[in-house]
Amino acid sequence: MKLFHNGHFWQDGNFDNELKAILTRDGKILKLIFDDEQSSPDVQRIDLGGDYVFPGFIDTHTHSFEGGLYSLMIDLGDAKSLSDVFAKIEDGCKDKGKFVFAWNFDETRIAEQRFPTRAELDQVVKHKNLVLRRIDGHSCIINTFACNSILGGHNKVHCEDEVFRGFENDRAVHWFHHNLDDELILRAYHAASKIALKGGFTTIHTMVGDANMSVGHYSLLQSKLAEFPVDYELYPQSFNIDAAMDLGAKRVGGCILADGSIGSMTAALYEPYSGKPIRGNLYQSDQFWKEFIGKAHSNDLQVAVHCIGDRAISQINSVYLDLAHSDYKDLRHQLIHCEITDDTLVDQIKASAAVPVMQPMFDLLWGGSGGFYSRLLGPERVSTMNRFGTMLGKGIRVTGSSDWYITELDIRKSLFAAMNHHNPKELLSLKQAVDIYTLNAAWLSKDENRRGALKVGMDADFSVLNYIPRAEAPAEHQKIRKVIKRAEIVYEDM
Ligand SMILES: [Zn+2]
Ligand SMILES: [Zn+2]
């Protein structure tokens, strides 16, 4: 047994000063202790140093494989010139195996304002497969060695094009992902789990698969889950319902796309983009979603779909709503991102009982009247975006996430973003911000009896901070002090 004492413990939206300690046995909470009792010698006492103890935080939407993999690879984020790029790749590829990823490349931030050429990359990496990905992941360039490797296989790419975009980009990147060996795949997940702990999380939902028909390395990861210090909740991110069922998955989907992104003006809108005669794209027909979601639903699978624009959200939510009326099941279908929702759409989401799986960091980075979203959508529509406060106010169970590697996997930043929404109507209290990463997040995967609160019988998962999150940005000394998973200290920053 272990006794966690000398902490401020989070209970129902507050720190309960009467609660003195938590006693655990076999990784579960055995008893909440309200008096200064003398504990017996067989109890190990763990002093929490007066810090603030939350239920273990849960991030409900990440791409941990890419996040972990890229953390092991070459980050070009601070390159200022092409010679910087080449030096980083040359240095970084020394300890890599056959596959080298250089990522975070942004041609607008380097002196030459262009991608390197294939010939230039060949000078740097001759005998390994190299892919250099743009910061947004929507374009890339590969070296000749990789071109020849890909041409030797079934997935032909048109190597006469230097920079790949769209379909060619997807195909090249998938080829790299598919050809990695198991050892590197698992190393990527180990790296990701370390980043998750450092970011204050005990559980992360992670998307596995190519968002098309492949579930990728799902079964490999599934067979190794016990090795990781965090719990991974797996999503077969694919349209392949049969494969998901064969794997014994509880759900299907992830960032399978109903529409694109606001940045590329492919998020599907009812009204055109600001000053442009386009409204984005629905990637599939109504009938397609009806069949796909209907089949998953009838097989008791939870469904998760990427939908950003109001037209896409409405397309997916309408299917959820029909099923809620005709064949209600408590499956907790997901609307991932769910960014643009006017009042009518919010009410329809309430009626369908779908769960918006949302990213507070998106508003922090791109929201507000002068922000990126406002330039593309106009200031008026921005007031109908990322409606955390409104949705929670109506009893919709929003959950919080980072979409890592798109934004950082760090609970301090996520809570700060949620408590600092640009739109005062949508900003969250500390209780609400914590709820979307604990109670609601646990509920999303039907783990509400196991995780998400400091209660008897639940897993002893604690995220310990040395400060109370507030609306100010966390300072350097305000940190995640400890992460405790099933009563084991799995991360510590003293
Ligand atoms: Zn995603
Ligand atoms: Zn997405």
Side-chain angles (χ1 to χ4, degrees):
M1 287 195 286
K2 291 180 182 174
L3 185 80
F4 293 87
H5 70 104
N6 189 24
H8 299 278
F9 297 96
W10 182 261
Q11 290 280 296
D12 304 322
N14 259 309
F15 294 103
D16 184 343
N17 289 327
E18 305 297 308
L19 179 53
K20 303 289 186 221
I22 293 181
L23 185 66
T24 68
R25 185 171 63 198
D26 300 334
K28 292 201 175 287
I29 298 177
L30 182 67
K31 195 174 174 197
L32 303 182
I33 295 180
F34 289 91
D35 48 15
D36 296 306
E37 71 176 40
Q38 296 297 323
S39 57
S40 58
D42 61 328
V43 173
Q44 184 189 350
R45 292 174 68 89
I46 293 155
D47 187 337
L48 295 169
D51 286 334
Y52 299 89
V53 185
F54 293 90
F57 289 116
I58 301 165
D59 189 308
T60 52
H61 185 80
T62 73
H63 299 269
S64 291
F65 169 60
E66 285 87 342
L69 179 66
Y70 294 163
S71 78
L72 301 171
M73 294 289 172
I74 302 162
D75 184 352
L76 300 174
D78 59 358
K80 304 257 181 313
S81 65
L82 284 179
S83 57
D84 273 0
V85 169
F86 302 141
K88 279 173 189 291
I89 294 175
E90 187 162 17
D91 189 47
C93 83
K94 283 181 195 144
D95 60 345
K96 306 291 182 288
K98 279 189 303 183
F99 297 94
V100 183
F101 290 74
W103 60 288
N104 236 346
F105 174 74
D106 186 349
E107 75 284 6
T108 67
R109 289 171 54 187
I110 63 168
E112 293 86 347
Q113 299 276 305
R114 66 168 174 89
F115 272 75
T117 63
R118 179 164 300 135
E120 286 168 337
L121 292 181
D122 289 344
Q123 295 289 314
V124 188
V125 183
K126 279 195 191 67
H127 303 296
K128 294 179 180 192
N129 299 291
L130 168 70
V131 59
L132 176 146
R133 294 191 78 182
R134 196 176 183 278
I135 182 165
D136 62 2
H138 289 281
S139 45
C140 73
I141 179 164
I142 63 179
N143 66 349
T144 300
F145 189 86
C147 273
N148 292 337
S149 305
I150 299 177
L151 284 173
H154 298 294
N155 294 302
K156 297 233 183 315
V157 291
H158 296 289
C159 286
E160 58 271 25
D161 300 333
E162 293 255 307
V163 177
F164 294 159
R165 298 191 168 81
F167 184 56
E168 292 281 293
N169 172 63
D170 290 351
R171 211 154 48 163
V173 172
H174 286 150
W175 180 84
F176 271 79
H177 286 174
H178 276 298
N179 281 281
L180 300 180
D181 57 31
D182 291 359
E183 193 264 339
L184 183 55
I185 292 168
L186 292 172
R187 252 194 329 130
Y189 280 104
H190 278 286
S193 70
K194 281 204 186 106
I195 292 167
L197 295 178
K198 193 162 179 247
F201 295 96
T202 53
T203 301
I204 50 178
H205 294 220
T206 191
M207 310 302 122
V208 187
D210 68 355
N212 192 357
M213 286 309 281
S214 164
V215 294
H217 49 254
Y218 190 103
S219 54
L220 170 71
L221 179 59
Q222 195 178 25
S223 69
K224 303 284 183 186
L225 285 179
E227 288 182 5
F228 300 100
V230 291
D231 280 330
Y232 282 117
E233 273 294 325
L234 306 189
Y235 288 59
Q237 180 180 253
S238 149
F239 289 105
N240 196 333
I241 292 171
D242 297 332
M245 291 197 305
D246 289 346
L247 290 163
K250 299 192 279 189
R251 58 181 71 91
V252 67
C255 274
I256 55 172
L257 305 180
D259 65 348
S261 69
I262 294 169
S264 57
M265 294 200 227
T266 46
L269 311 175
Y270 282 118
E271 299 299 326
Y273 283 87
S274 219
K276 296 262 181 350
I278 51 170
R279 301 194 299 144
N281 309 336
L282 290 176
Y283 288 180
Q284 307 286 352
S285 67
D286 294 354
Q287 188 57 30
F288 173 88
W289 288 115
K290 221 175 146 168
E291 284 167 19
F292 171 76
I293 297 171
K295 178 174 171 184
H297 185 90
S298 68
N299 285 291
D300 296 333
L301 295 177
Q302 180 186 40
V303 178
V305 180
H306 160 120
C307 43
I308 286 184
D310 45 9
R311 200 151 54 97
I313 297 165
S314 177
Q315 186 188 35
I316 301 303
N317 191 65
S318 302
V319 184
Y320 292 161
L321 187 59
D322 283 348
L323 289 168
H325 288 144
S326 63
D327 180 26
Y328 177 76
K329 292 177 181 177
D330 183 19
L331 292 173
R332 308 176 188 183
H333 295 318
Q334 305 183 18
L335 298 163
I336 294 174
H337 309 308
C338 198
E339 285 205 85
I340 306 176
T341 51
D342 65 11
D343 289 345
T344 311
L345 191 45
V346 170
D347 288 338
Q348 285 165 355
I349 293 168
K350 168 79 182 162
S352 75
V355 190
V357 174
M358 296 171 67
Q359 295 76 36
M361 285 294 286
F362 286 6
D363 174 76
L364 186 75
L365 294 171
W366 305 309
S369 55
F372 176 65
Y373 285 161
S374 177
R375 288 203 298 281
L376 290 166
L377 301 166
E380 208 167 298
R381 196 160 19 182
V382 167
S383 70
T384 66
M385 288 190 70
N386 292 303
R387 301 190 70 186
F388 290 90
T390 300
M391 289 181 177
L392 288 172
K394 289 188 183 257
I396 296 171
R397 289 207 229 204
V398 174
T399 74
S401 67
S402 58
D403 205 14
W404 184 58
Y405 63 98
I406 305 296
T407 76
E408 267 181 89
L409 187 54
D410 184 335
I411 191 62
R412 295 174 313 153
K413 294 188 179 171
S414 298
L415 294 175
F416 167 69
M419 294 168 76
N420 274 278
H421 202 293
H422 283 92
N423 181 350
K425 286 188 197 145
E426 305 303 342
L427 62 78
L428 302 188
S429 65
L430 176 61
K431 174 186 172 1
Q432 291 175 313
V434 169
D435 281 355
I436 67 174
Y437 287 97
T438 55
L439 287 177
N440 295 10
W443 178 85
L444 181 68
S445 54
K446 298 199 172 176
D447 288 310
E448 62 269 31
N449 294 322
R450 184 156 81 99
R451 296 179 186 140
L454 303 179
K455 287 198 177 136
V456 171
M458 293 214 180
D459 285 0
D461 290 358
F462 311 143
S463 298
V464 184
L465 273 55
N466 71 349
Y467 71 106
I468 302 174
R470 295 185 201 286
E472 298 88 47
E476 196 61 31
H477 65 276
Q478 296 184 317
K479 6 186 192 186
I480 295 146
R481 193 76 96 167
K482 285 186 185 67
V483 176
I484 294 160
K485 186 74 186 162
R486 287 188 273 276
E488 297 290 332
I489 298 175
V490 285
Y491 172 80
E492 203 162 8
D493 179 1
M494 296 317 282

